[in-house]
Amino acid sequence: MAILADYHLHTSHSTDSDEPMEKMILKAIDLGLDQICFTEHMDMDYPSEKDAPEGEFLLNTDSYLFDLIRFKEKYADKIRVLFGVELGLQPHLSKENARYVREHDFDFVIASSHVCNGTDPYLPSFYEGRSEEEAYREYFSSILDNLKSFSNFDVYGHLDYVVRYGPDKDNNYTYEKYKDLIDRILETLLEKEKGIEINTGGLNRGLSDLHPCKEIIKRYRLLGGEIVTVGSDAHNTARIADAFGRVSETLTECGFKYYTVFEKRMPEFRKL
C-alpha cells in the first residue's frame, strides 16, 4: 500500500462513533500505517432534531486531547499519532470557529460542510419539494459562502458530501453538471493555498466514486492544486485505510506524484 497515513478518523470522542481511540490505533498499527490523524467532529450550532439533541456534535476537546497525548506517547515507537479536528463550517460561525482553532495546537484542520442553510443533507427533508440537482447546487453554493467567511483550515473535506445522501446518490451526478460552482470552489481554495481531502467514506454508503469524484480531483490538479490528504472517514476499526489502493491509483491517474501529511499545520509531501 503506497499510502501509509490516514488523515480522517473518528473515535468515541465524536458523537457518531463508539470506537475507543486505543483500539483504532492498534488496528492502524496492524495495517502497517506509519501515522494517523484523529479528526473528531466539532460542529457548533448543529441543528437539533429528535435524533440529534442540541449540542450533539460539540467536542469536549480537553478530554479528547488527554486521551490522544496518552496514546501518542504509549505507541510512539510504533506509529505517529496527530491531533486534528473536523470543523463544521457555517458562515455565521466564522468568528467562533476561528477562535476555537486559535485556542488549540492542532496538527491538522479539516473544514467540512455538514450543514447547509440550517439543514444537514443527511436528512431526507433537505431534498423534499425540489429536484436533486437543486439540492446539490444549494450545497455547493453554501461551500462558497463558507469559503468567503473562513480560512483557518488546511483542507476542505469530502467536497461532494451531499451526494452520499441524495435520492439517487451519484447515479446522475457528474463534475460537468456542476462545473460552474465546483470550479469556483477549487479556484477559491487555490487562492487561499488550501488543499482538498480524498475521502473514501462514501464507498461503503453506495457511491461508485471517491469524495470528491475523480473528475474533480483531476480538475484540481489541472488548476495547479498540489495539497491532497487521504482519509477513510472511519468511525470504527473496520474502515481504517479503506480503499487506499484505489486512492493511490486515482491520484496517479490524475497527475499527482505525492500525497500530503501535516504536523503543526505544516504540509509534508510523500511519494505515492
Side-chain angles (χ1 to χ4, degrees), residues 16-244:
D16 52 0
S17 173
D18 296 318
E19 204 75 281
M21 182 180 287
E22 186 170 24
K23 191 174 178 182
M24 297 285 278
I25 293 170
L26 290 171
K27 180 63 174 182
I29 293 169
D30 287 345
L31 289 170
L33 301 185
D34 62 16
Q35 64 174 273
I36 53 174
C37 186
F38 289 108
T39 52
E40 307 292 5
H41 285 296
M42 178 53 145
D43 271 83
M44 301 180 195
D45 198 22
Y46 185 84
S48 59
E49 300 282 341
K50 63 179 181 179
D51 296 326
E54 188 173 352
E56 181 80 351
F57 284 98
L58 291 178
L59 175 62
N60 184 333
T61 312
D62 290 340
S63 176
Y64 162 39
L65 183 57
F66 176 79
D67 268 1
L68 187 136
I69 290 172
R70 279 197 303 140
F71 296 128
K72 179 185 179 77
E73 294 174 353
K74 182 175 180 178
Y75 296 103
D77 61 333
K78 295 181 175 66
I79 194 168
R80 180 178 292 180
V81 177
L82 286 305
F83 177 40
V85 68
E86 183 179 12
L87 193 64
L89 300 192
Q90 297 184 65
H92 71 284
L93 296 173
S94 58
K95 289 184 179 179
E96 289 88 344
N97 279 333
R99 185 182 307 114
Y100 174 74
V101 174
R102 285 197 307 270
E103 288 174 351
H104 297 90
D105 192 20
F106 291 114
D107 289 302
F108 178 60
V109 177
I110 301 175
S112 289
S113 292
H114 295 129
V115 178
C116 174
N117 298 324
T119 304
D120 189 335
Y122 169 81
L123 298 171
S125 59
F126 183 75
Y127 308 91
E128 290 175 358
R130 56 178 169 170
S131 69
E132 186 177 72
E133 181 175 349
E134 289 172 327
Y136 287 8
R137 283 189 166 275
E138 182 182 343
Y139 180 81
F140 289 127
S141 294
S142 76
I143 292 180
L144 284 168
D145 293 338
N146 286 328
L147 289 173
K148 289 176 185 176
S149 62
F150 190 77
S151 298
N152 195 1
F153 64 92
D154 302 306
V155 304
Y156 218 97
H158 44 49
L159 273 177
D160 48 13
Y161 164 86
V162 68
V163 305
R164 282 188 191 180
Y165 306 110
D168 292 309
K169 296 188 180 292
D170 61 354
N171 290 331
N172 303 308
Y173 164 69
T174 64
Y175 155 69
E176 289 293 335
K177 197 170 187 176
Y178 303 92
K179 179 179 178 179
D180 55 325
L181 292 170
I182 291 170
D183 275 3
R184 287 171 60 196
I185 292 170
L186 296 178
E187 288 162 1
T188 304
L189 287 170
L190 289 169
E191 288 170 8
K192 291 175 176 282
E193 299 183 334
K194 307 300 181 183
I196 63 172
E197 174 200 37
I198 313 304
N199 182 302
T200 65
L203 295 175
N204 62 71
R205 293 176 172 86
L207 298 188
S208 62
D209 209 343
L210 305 165
H211 282 310
C213 64
K214 182 177 178 180
E215 289 79 9
I216 294 178
I217 300 170
K218 185 180 295 184
R219 181 62 173 163
Y220 173 71
R221 183 70 194 102
L222 286 172
L223 290 171
E226 296 181 336
I227 298 173
V228 287
T229 60
V230 183
S232 64
D233 209 345
H235 290 64
N236 56 61
T237 58
R239 297 294 178 185
I240 297 174
D242 190 33
F244 274 22

Side-chain angles (χ1 to χ4, degrees), residues 7-21:
Y7 264 59
H8 193 145
L9 295 171
H10 297 282
T11 73
S12 56
H13 290 285
S14 288
T15 300
D16 52 0
S17 173
D18 296 318
E19 204 75 281
M21 182 180 287

